[in-house]
Amino acid sequence: VYIKKVETRGFKSFGSRPVSVNFEGRFIGITGPNGSGKSNIIDAILFAIGENRPRMMRVPKLSGLIFDGAGGNPSTSARVTITLDNTSREISIDNDRVTLTREIRSGGDSVYLLNGKKVQKSTLSDLLRLALISSDGLNFVPQGMVTHLADLDSDEKRGLIEEIV
Amino acid sequence: VYIKKVETRGFKSFGSRPVSVNFEGRFIGITGPNGSGKSNIIDAILFAIGENRPRMMRVPKLSGLIFDGAGGNPSTSARVTITLDNTSREISIDNDRVTLTREIRSGGDSVYLLNGKKVQKSTLSDLLRLALISSDGLNFVPQGMVTHLADLDSDEKRGLIEEIV
Amino acid sequence: KRDAFLDAFQKIDKEFRNIFAQLTTRDSGYCNHDNCPPGRILHGDAWLELDNPDEIFNAGVTLFAKFPNKVERDIIICSGGEKTVAALCLILAIQAVKPAPFYVFDEIDAHLDAVNSSKLAEILQSRTSKSQVIMISLKDTILSRVDTMYGVYHERSITKILKFRPTEKDIEYSKGISVK
Amino acid sequence: KRDAFLDAFQKIDKEFRNIFAQLTTRDSGYCNHDNCPPGRILHGDAWLELDNPDEIFNAGVTLFAKFPNKVERDIIICSGGEKTVAALCLILAIQAVKPAPFYVFDEIDAHLDAVNSSKLAEILQSRTSKSQVIMISLKDTILSRVDTMYGVYHERSITKILKFRPTEKDIEYSKGISVK
Ligand SMILES: Nc1ncnc2c1ncn2[C@@H]1O[C@H](COP(=O)(O)OP(=O)(O)OP(=O)(O)O)[C@@H](O)[C@H]1O
Ligand SMILES: Nc1ncnc2c1ncn2[C@@H]1O[C@H](COP(=O)(O)OP(=O)(O)OP(=O)(O)O)[C@@H](O)[C@H]1O
Ligand SMILES: [Mg+2]
Ligand SMILES: [Mg+2]
């Protein structure tokens, strides 16, 4: 499984109009000036796979993910769709493509869609966990995590390994 | 007042033989590979001006500042001398040059010399404080401090300003 | 205690506003929206606010920042590099309020892009008229402005230091390439 | 609980040793002391140790590292960049023990010098045979090895994304220079 496309609407700095990027290849590089929106791409992926902790997406609360309007009209909801290549069938759905969509309104409720059809979050989490897609392992290494781990003392290092078990 | 020279003997990775570097100019750049010894130069300056907290010099205890021998013979003491240009007479000593020397033995006691003569640490601290030379202000910004301050919450920011008062 | 805090707060805030505007100054070509200041130089603005002026010590201090081409936001939701810029300005503001004869900085430019690094180099260079600045960095942007450059390397288990003039070739020499 | 911990610890330690040796591999010309391995490639070694194997949960885990040309030391007294190298190897080791279809890294190379960055790029590139790797970086060393490059910029208050082939000129284009 790998990520083929990320589409947003009203998500963080991507604005209220639809934005979409096709990821080609297995080794993807992203660069750009400070504050341009690079880390927000990661937040969009985390959001789509069901991450619920606002801190992981660097906002005080989930409604902070909705485009704030940047001085103009704020969006009323944030929506992200990621398209996964599933030719390996790691996700147990018989389809070469799997799309995950999540939408949140300012009240805070989330709606999840799997290939366009509404699903429960728990159904989605089970499917993703079996495919080893999760946001709480170390497969996402956010900005600053490496320096944080570099300064762990020996008890904290033990704690890190305990979490893996 | 500015730093003209740093001399070490038996201090951290500089080894047991005397090492000396002349700083020319007011804007000094230091570069080099990871682990080459750049931050140890700062630790040497901190040590010479009387810093007593091992953590500020990234060692578990002060005796960790003594050259560990790198597989060969460890040093028995660590000694640093910094030569300051005092033409501005910011340090109230009537001399164009002021040298500060500190030596520590593995037992942990420090000996301080001012222009080659033994002094009490308290005499030295008073002199340096009046010249606005201190290791607990923000005039030393160690590796990682900026990212740490960048992530302070609002209570911690207030705390930072309280410390300045 | 309250008065002493307020006095320090106001002094730091004043310096902070000034330094942030300097560090975020861009030429007017940088402007990429409709309300560009005509011909004027574009710069950001930032300031500190007491969360509760009546209960200073039971509340926090919030940092607001308006980066060039952007609206004002609480620094908490800004990017890693933007937070670094704000933190640097806060450090430089505190240093301006409590000046010292020399300053030592260790890789403070790690998360900055090229534009922010070179602006930072300008500000540090201007500081050297009053104080000495010692700067450790792995990047050329700042190092190319220094008076004297020292290359540090590790050989036969100990640290050695080499002085050289900062020219393009030399910088390459010491930037992580093994020193024979 | 003890058995499960020991099992994970041993697996992680094994991967960690392997990855650290890879990341710290240098050609034999890099060796700068007397006992250089003849012709062989030089590499560092690192490992994890339980502080008290009888009381695992009341004690810690210590990481020892021997960098090329250096003796073994507790990582706590090593340099910032050396600690970053060790932390990266630990992350990569944990990922190897609990693999995932894709990995996302955000500026993990911030404190690395050129030699360490390019070794890291090699390792990440080798990972792409089994998984997808998405890497955010401000430095050319890693970006020059990717398949496809995306330049992100901010215009008219929103984020825009541009795809381009990573060639020398292009990388300069997006590295902090204002995108018109
Ligand atoms: N809800 C929101 N609506 C609009 N913009 C937002 C929202 N939340 C955050 N932002 C803005 O998104 C911008 C980009 O942030 P991001 O962290 O992605 O930048 P970055 O490219 O990773 O930069 P850096 O190199 O500094 O890490 C920030 O300037 C921030 O102010
Ligand atoms: N007491 C000691 N004796 C000998 N070597 C020591 C001692 N204490 C620390 N060291 C070594 O000093 C080396 C250099 O450390 P330093 O932090 O100065 O590197 P640096 O140039 O700042 O690197 P980086 O770019 O990674 O920050 C480390 O490799 C460390 O193992
Ligand atoms: Mg970022
Ligand atoms: Mg260092």
Side-chain angles (χ1 to χ4, degrees), chain B residues 16-80:
Chain B
S16 46
R17 267 184 273 147
V19 171
S20 127
V21 62
N22 286 319
F23 283 145
E24 285 167 26
R26 293 180 161 271
F27 197 6
I28 307 277
I30 299 174
T31 192
N34 288 141
S36 53
K38 302 182 295 293
S39 300
N40 287 345
I41 298 173
I42 296 185
D43 295 342
I45 297 169
L46 283 170
F47 175 73
I49 67 170
E51 177 55 59
N52 260 334
R53 295 164 288 180
R55 249 189 111 60
M56 289 285 282
M57 297 171 279
R58 305 169 303 132
V59 286
K61 45 186 201 308
L62 287 184
S63 58
L65 295 171
I66 301 172
F67 176 58
D68 68 5
N73 297 330
S75 296
T76 52
S77 72
R79 180 190 175 100
V80 175

Side-chain angles (χ1 to χ4, degrees), chain B residues 10-15 32-41 43 58-59 63-70 143, chain C residues 106-107 136 138 152 154 157 159, chain D residues 67 70-71 73-74 77-83 111 113:
Chain B
F11 186 84
K12 280 195 138 187
S13 60
F14 299 106
N34 288 141
S36 53
K38 302 182 295 293
S39 300
N40 287 345
I41 298 173
D43 295 342
R58 305 169 303 132
V59 286
S63 58
L65 295 171
I66 301 172
F67 176 58
D68 68 5
Q143 229 166 321
Chain C
D106 196 346
E107 297 189 31
I136 294 180
L138 301 180
V152 179
H154 193 87
S157 309
T159 290
Chain D
F67 284 88
K70 292 192 169 173
V71 294
R73 290 197 173 103
D74 181 333
I77 63 164
C78 290
S79 83
E82 290 171 334
K83 282 182 184 166
H111 286 277
D113 62 25

Side-chain angles (χ1 to χ4, degrees), chain B residues 1-4 13-17 19-42 45 49 67 69-70 82 84 90 131-134 138-147 149-155 157-165, chain C residues 1 4-5 8-9 12 48 51 56-63 75-76 83-84 87-88 90-91 94-95 98-108 111 121 124-125 128 130-138 143 145-154 157-159 161 163 165 174-176:
Chain B
V1 179
Y2 47 98
I3 301 175
K4 300 241 1 132
S13 60
F14 299 106
S16 46
R17 267 184 273 147
V19 171
S20 127
V21 62
N22 286 319
F23 283 145
E24 285 167 26
R26 293 180 161 271
F27 197 6
I28 307 277
I30 299 174
T31 192
N34 288 141
S36 53
K38 302 182 295 293
S39 300
N40 287 345
I41 298 173
I42 296 185
I45 297 169
I49 67 170
F67 176 58
I82 62 172
L84 300 170
E90 282 168 279
L132 303 176
I133 298 173
S134 100
L138 275 179
N139 41 333
F140 282 85
V141 183
Q143 229 166 321
M145 160 86 94
V146 176
T147 12
L149 290 182
D151 288 326
L152 291 185
D153 65 26
S154 58
D155 287 331
K157 284 188 189 106
R158 191 204 62 236
L160 180 70
I161 293 173
E162 275 183 87
E163 271 170 47
I164 308 299
V165 187
Chain C
K1 177 168 163 120
F5 179 89
F9 176 81
I12 292 172
L48 300 170
D51 293 354
I56 293 177
F57 299 104
N58 291 335
V61 166
T62 298
L63 194 158
I75 199 69
I76 300 266
K83 282 181 183 167
T84 298
L88 277 170
L90 197 53
I91 291 175
I94 291 171
Q95 289 178 346
K98 283 193 119 187
F102 56 84
Y103 298 101
V104 184
F105 299 101
D106 196 346
E107 297 189 31
I108 60 174
H111 287 279
L124 293 177
Q125 195 167 25
T128 59
K130 286 205 220 89
S131 314
Q132 184 183 38
V133 172
I134 298 175
M135 173 85 194
I136 294 180
S137 174
L138 301 180
L143 297 173
R145 285 181 177 264
V146 300
D147 301 333
T148 329
M149 239 331 231
Y150 296 85
V152 179
Y153 61 101
H154 193 87
S157 309
I158 61 171
T159 290
I161 306 174
K163 194 179 83 190
R165 289 280 146 223
S174 66
K175 263 185 72 188

Side-chain angles (χ1 to χ4, degrees), chain C:
Chain C
K1 177 168 163 120
R2 186 192 148 86
D3 292 345
F5 179 89
L6 278 176
D7 180 50
F9 176 81
Q10 263 138 21
K11 280 192 190 134
I12 292 172
D13 179 50
K14 187 163 155 280
E15 286 292 342
F16 176 67
R17 289 170 189 251
N18 182 12
I19 291 169
F20 188 89
Q22 262 182 300
L23 192 59
T24 55
T25 299
R26 306 285 183 258
D27 59 65
S28 57
Y30 192 83
C31 182
N32 65 23
H33 57 76
D34 296 333
N35 331 322
C36 297
R40 231 167 48 72
I41 304 262
L42 183 73
H43 65 75
D45 289 305
W47 60 95
L48 300 170
E49 272 182 29
L50 294 169
D51 293 354
N52 183 348
D54 300 326
E55 303 258 346
I56 293 177
F57 299 104
N58 291 335
V61 166
T62 298
L63 194 158
F64 291 95
K66 180 186 163 333
F67 285 86
N69 293 328
K70 291 191 172 172
V71 295
E72 79 186 51
R73 291 199 174 105
D74 181 333
I75 199 69
I76 300 266
I77 63 164
C78 290
S79 83
E82 290 172 333
K83 282 181 183 167
T84 298
V85 165
L88 277 170
C89 291
L90 197 53
I91 291 175
L92 293 170
I94 291 171
Q95 289 178 346
V97 169
K98 283 193 119 187
F102 56 84
Y103 298 101
V104 184
F105 299 101
D106 196 346
E107 297 189 31
I108 60 174
D109 55 347
H111 287 279
L112 297 182
D113 62 26
V115 171
N116 281 319
S117 296
S118 87
K119 274 285 163 206
L120 175 64
E122 257 173 55
I123 291 184
L124 293 177
Q125 195 167 25
S126 69
R127 286 257 158 140
T128 59
S129 58
K130 286 205 220 89
S131 314
Q132 184 183 38
V133 172
I134 298 175
M135 173 85 194
I136 294 180
S137 174
L138 301 180
K139 293 186 179 174
D140 300 354
T141 328
I142 292 197
L143 297 173
S144 55
R145 285 181 177 264
V146 300
D147 301 333
T148 329
M149 239 331 231
Y150 296 85
V152 179
Y153 61 101
H154 193 87
E155 192 175 67
R156 295 186 182 282
S157 309
I158 61 171
T159 290
K160 301 218 165 98
I161 306 174
L162 214 73
K163 194 179 83 190
F164 57 95
R165 289 280 146 223
T167 56
E168 221 37 53
K169 185 188 82 22
D170 280 334
I171 290 185
E172 215 34 53
Y173 174 77
S174 66
K175 263 185 72 188
I177 294 168
S178 141
V179 186
K180 286 310 303 143

Side-chain angles (χ1 to χ4, degrees), chain D residues 11-31:
Chain D
K11 281 193 188 127
I12 292 171
D13 179 47
K14 182 163 162 281
E15 287 293 339
F16 176 68
R17 291 168 186 251
N18 181 11
I19 291 168
F20 187 89
Q22 263 182 313
L23 192 58
T24 56
T25 298
R26 305 285 182 261
D27 60 68
S28 57
Y30 192 82
C31 181

